[in-house]
Amino acid sequence: MLLLRLQPINGISQLSVGTSFPHKKCSRRPLLPRPQAVPSRTQRIMESVSVSGEVGGAGGAYSYEALKRLDQLWSSICSSQEVVQEPQQVVSTIPSLFGSSDLADKAEGSYDVLVCGGTLGIFIATALCARGLRVAIVERNVLKGRDQEWNISTKELLELVEVGVLEEDDIERATAVKFNPNRCGFERKGDIWVNDILNLGVSPAKLIEIVKTRFISLGGVIFEGCGVSCINVYEDAAVLKLSGDKILSSRLIIDAMGNFSPVVKQIRGGRKPDGVCLVVGTCARGFETNSTSDVIFSSSSIKKVGDSKAQLFWEAFPAGSGPLDRTTYLFTYVEPQPGSPKLEELLEAYWDLMPEYQGVSLDNLEILRVIYGIFPTYRQSPLPAAFSRVLQFGDASGIQSPVSFGGFGSLTRHLGRLSAGIHEAINGDYLDSYSLSLLNPYMPNLSASWLFQRAMSAKKQSNVPEDFINELLYTNFSCMQRLGDPVLRPFLQDVVQFGPLSKTLGLVMLTNPKILPSIFKQVGIPVLLDWSRHFLGLGYYTFLSTFADPIVRPFLNTLPSKTSFQWKRHLEAWKYGAGLDYKL
């Protein structure tokens, strides 16, 4: 049963002080208790749930206090100012040699690579260690995974095996639950079922512990409980100053501190995100029907959340903690602006809507965890290197799709490419900002995905039908299903390819041409024109990867080493930017 711990409304007692007279009674006016705000349902539920083991990273905090702090951060992002505040200058360039400076003797260690942020950074660190580099991780907290599972497919985990981060047996050890089939559904329009998409629940706690053990066995070093104070980039080294005056030097620093990395804030100049995915949910016990998952499900048209309109979507997965345990997420896409829904307001909508969606009563559920997060995305992504010897990785780099929340899936796709490129850059000393930017290049398939986020975001003022987004999504998914797995499966794993996208758009126009005017109204002409540029780029990269790559590749070994390094990165940009790295 869900037990709610009601918070008492306490009055504030006061003492009256006066002059006392003999033989007379002092009359006192009764003091009324001062009213206090009644706790929200979200607060009552969250304070009734035992919280332990919170960790860093997205989705690693579960307490009500952490929710309020995140909502305050979100409110500041939604401020009407374009730049909320001048970001802290974390990285400085010093035009001299570190080896000749007074600080050189104070460095406590020298490495090929320092990785800042361990939750996702442990994966790139281990891949680089497996290639023979001297690597250390700096983590502000204790390096461990969260309790809440990551949903992924076997195919994506096997990519970690290919780069030496995992053994194949480790996948079974880290997997908490498996399930099939997986549903994509839309309100009163029908369901589409697929297999082996996000059908594994992987325990981050177990997975990161496995990778951490492997990293240390390969010679890796971990500095836990150390926050990043500043980074000084010299001509011969990048120097990391930690809280407590500890100094470490390396040839390259990898920023894996996530969406809210202070280095990223400095590079972006405090600019507001172009879009945000807001996510809330629970892991709860008491679901009798619990063998399938929802990859995406929309149970209603646009609804009012707080002072804004929002198109709400669901995901739901069996959890590995018990046969009746299930994780359900409610998420929405918004533009950060005053009046955007807060996470607590989204949670209030969740408590209202989830029982009908899952066919259960809240009274019959035991809430194990309350989950929430904000995932900002920028049109200028992936983020090019702004400094020599400093490279963004994972969520900090913006390599994830703007329609996904969390970058673990995109990390597995790009880990082989990035670890090979970084290894070559270290060995060749190609650590200037231009060379490093080739590792986070323009990718038209990611930029083309922006149209999908805009189309799935509700507008405050819109003259399209309330069920337009559901109609559009169902039409698209139905067309992809008719075209088969080569079209549907890549899209469900956040991979956009020119051929499948062209076929889908063509079939949508043939089967439901009446929806086209609403698309123009929903996303706007400027967005469509911008998207057309990236769509053409997607076709161009597909052509280059298919036809130019086989011509250029045989000549790579004949080129000077730095030129060869640059051309390899161009070939990778064509392949990954066209989504052609994805194989069924």
Side-chain angles (χ1 to χ4, degrees):
M1 294 289 288
L2 172 63
L3 300 178
L4 305 184
R5 189 177 67 198
L6 299 179
Q7 303 298 312
I9 301 176
N10 297 319
I12 300 176
S13 59
Q14 301 178 5
L15 176 65
S16 296
V17 181
T19 304
S20 176
F21 295 95
H23 311 299
K24 289 189 178 181
K25 293 183 179 179
C26 296
S27 61
R28 303 193 181 199
R29 298 177 61 185
L31 297 176
L32 298 176
R34 183 178 297 173
Q36 292 185 345
V38 177
S40 68
R41 179 166 44 171
T42 294
Q43 180 178 353
R44 298 197 306 271
I45 290 175
M46 294 186 73
E47 291 182 347
S48 72
V49 177
S50 173
V51 175
S52 61
E54 291 191 311
V55 299
Y62 309 113
S63 67
Y64 182 72
E65 291 77 12
L67 171 70
K68 296 301 289 183
R69 289 195 299 270
L70 192 55
D71 256 340
Q72 287 176 354
L73 173 62
W74 171 228
S75 294
S76 71
I77 292 174
C78 291
S79 164
S80 57
Q81 303 173 18
E82 179 60 28
V83 178
V84 177
Q85 59 183 12
E86 186 66 26
Q88 178 187 359
Q89 299 300 298
V90 180
V91 183
S92 301
T93 300
I94 300 176
S96 62
L97 297 175
F98 175 67
S100 304
S101 71
D102 296 336
L103 293 176
D105 294 335
K106 298 181 180 179
E108 298 186 26
S110 180
Y111 302 90
D112 292 318
V113 181
L114 283 173
V115 179
C116 300
T119 305
L120 292 183
I122 186 72
F123 297 99
I124 187 66
T126 305
L128 294 174
C129 252
R131 291 179 177 271
L133 297 179
R134 292 173 295 117
V135 185
I137 295 173
V138 174
E139 169 56 43
R140 182 178 57 185
N141 304 298
V142 175
L143 179 48
K144 64 178 183 178
R146 67 184 195 180
D147 292 327
Q148 187 56 42
E149 290 149 16
W150 287 333
N151 295 103
I152 199 166
S153 67
T154 303
K155 176 186 181 301
E156 291 166 306
L157 285 180
L158 286 173
E159 290 166 339
L160 297 179
V161 176
E162 291 176 10
V163 296
V165 171
L166 293 179
E167 301 288 342
E168 201 157 338
D169 291 345
D170 293 332
I171 295 178
E172 197 67 32
R173 290 170 54 201
T175 300
V177 63
K178 300 178 183 178
F179 42 86
N180 264 316
N182 325 110
R183 178 176 66 159
C184 306
F186 307 95
E187 179 192 27
R188 294 189 296 276
K189 296 184 183 300
D191 297 333
I192 295 167
W193 293 90
V194 293
N195 284 311
D196 302 327
I197 300 293
L198 303 179
N199 68 306
L200 300 184
V202 172
S203 165
K206 289 181 182 177
L207 179 62
I208 289 178
E209 186 58 37
I210 290 168
V211 179
K212 184 178 178 180
T213 302
R214 179 164 177 77
F215 174 68
I216 293 172
S217 72
L218 291 169
V221 178
I222 301 175
F223 296 92
E224 295 180 316
C226 296
V228 174
S229 178
C230 68
I231 297 171
N232 291 329
V233 179
Y234 291 82
E235 294 175 3
D236 58 341
V239 178
L240 186 62
K241 292 185 178 180
L242 306 177
S243 52
D245 297 328
K246 187 188 293 287
I247 295 176
L248 304 172
S249 72
S250 68
R251 300 177 66 188
L252 174 70
I253 289 178
I254 294 178
D255 171 17
M257 293 184 282
N259 289 309
F260 298 104
S261 158
V263 181
V264 172
K265 288 182 181 178
Q266 179 179 345
I267 295 172
R268 295 199 184 275
R271 188 169 66 85
K272 290 170 63 172
D274 297 303
V276 170
C277 181
L278 301 177
V279 184
V280 299
T282 63
C283 180
R285 178 167 295 159
F287 293 89
E288 298 293 337
T289 304
N290 196 32
S291 60
T292 64
S293 74
D294 285 346
V295 176
I296 182 171
F297 187 83
S298 176
S299 61
S300 64
S301 300
I302 291 173
K303 286 190 174 293
K304 189 171 183 180
V305 179
D307 295 327
S308 260
K309 291 182 177 180
Q311 176 66 57
L312 304 177
F313 302 98
W314 297 93
E315 278 193 341
F317 305 99
S321 50
L324 303 182
D325 298 358
R326 190 167 180 83
T327 300
T328 50
Y329 296 104
L330 177 66
F331 62 99
T332 186
Y333 302 105
V334 299
E335 294 179 56
Q337 54 191 336
S340 293
K342 294 183 178 180
L343 289 170
E344 187 165 359
E345 292 171 340
L346 198 58
L347 272 166
E348 290 297 317
Y350 174 89
W351 308 125
D352 288 335
L353 300 173
M354 191 272 283
E356 181 180 354
Y357 159 56
Q358 288 290 283
V360 295
S361 168
L362 274 180
D363 293 335
N364 294 331
L365 295 179
E366 177 189 354
I367 306 294
L368 306 178
R369 282 182 297 280
V370 179
I371 310 155
Y372 47 86
I374 65 176
F375 297 89
T377 50
Y378 295 84
R379 291 184 182 277
Q380 186 191 353
S381 292
L383 187 62
F387 308 97
S388 297
R389 300 185 181 276
V390 180
L391 177 69
Q392 274 61 50
F393 172 79
D395 289 354
S397 72
I399 200 70
Q400 69 274 20
S401 163
V403 295
S404 67
F405 50 91
F408 184 54
S410 61
L411 177 150
T412 62
R413 277 187 58 216
H414 293 275
L415 195 58
R417 173 184 72 83
L418 287 169
S419 59
I422 292 170
H423 180 254
E424 191 173 349
I426 292 284
N427 286 341
D429 201 29
Y430 313 135
L431 300 173
D432 57 282
S433 59
Y434 172 74
S435 297
L436 293 178
S437 288
L438 296 176
L439 293 165
N440 282 337
Y442 164 67
M443 293 189 177
N445 59 347
L446 282 182
S447 298
S449 297
W450 269 100
L451 182 71
F452 308 141
Q453 191 192 75
R454 180 59 64 90
M456 294 165 71
S457 303
K459 286 185 172 182
K460 279 189 175 180
Q461 303 295 330
S462 178
N463 54 355
V464 299
E466 290 286 301
D467 67 342
F468 160 75
I469 295 175
N470 280 331
E471 177 69 23
L472 175 64
L473 289 174
Y474 179 68
T475 300
N476 275 283
F477 275 82
S478 298
C479 290
M480 285 189 284
Q481 185 184 41
R482 288 173 61 182
L483 293 167
D485 273 1
V487 173
L488 182 60
R489 295 182 72 83
F491 184 81
L492 287 175
Q493 293 183 276
D494 275 341
V495 179
V496 177
Q497 298 173 327
F498 181 74
L501 181 57
S502 300
K503 292 176 183 176
T504 301
L505 293 176
L507 193 55
V508 167
M509 286 187 283
L510 288 173
T511 57
N512 193 359
K514 294 184 295 184
I515 205 171
L516 296 178
S518 293
I519 294 176
F520 280 83
K521 294 176 184 177
Q522 171 73 6
V523 302
I525 299 297
V527 172
L528 280 171
L529 290 175
D530 183 64
W531 174 81
S532 299
R533 176 170 60 92
H534 299 302
F535 178 69
L536 292 174
L538 182 62
Y540 181 54
Y541 271 43
T542 302
F543 172 82
L544 290 174
S545 186
T546 304
F547 299 105
D549 184 308
I551 297 172
V552 174
R553 194 170 292 278
F555 295 98
L556 291 179
N557 293 333
T558 67
L559 300 173
S561 58
K562 188 168 186 178
T563 306
S564 176
F565 168 83
Q566 292 173 350
W567 270 103
K568 286 179 184 176
R569 308 292 80 81
H570 291 315
L571 299 185
E572 289 170 352
W574 297 346
K575 181 178 181 180
Y576 281 78
L580 297 180
D581 60 292
Y582 181 90
K583 305 295 180 185
L584 284 173

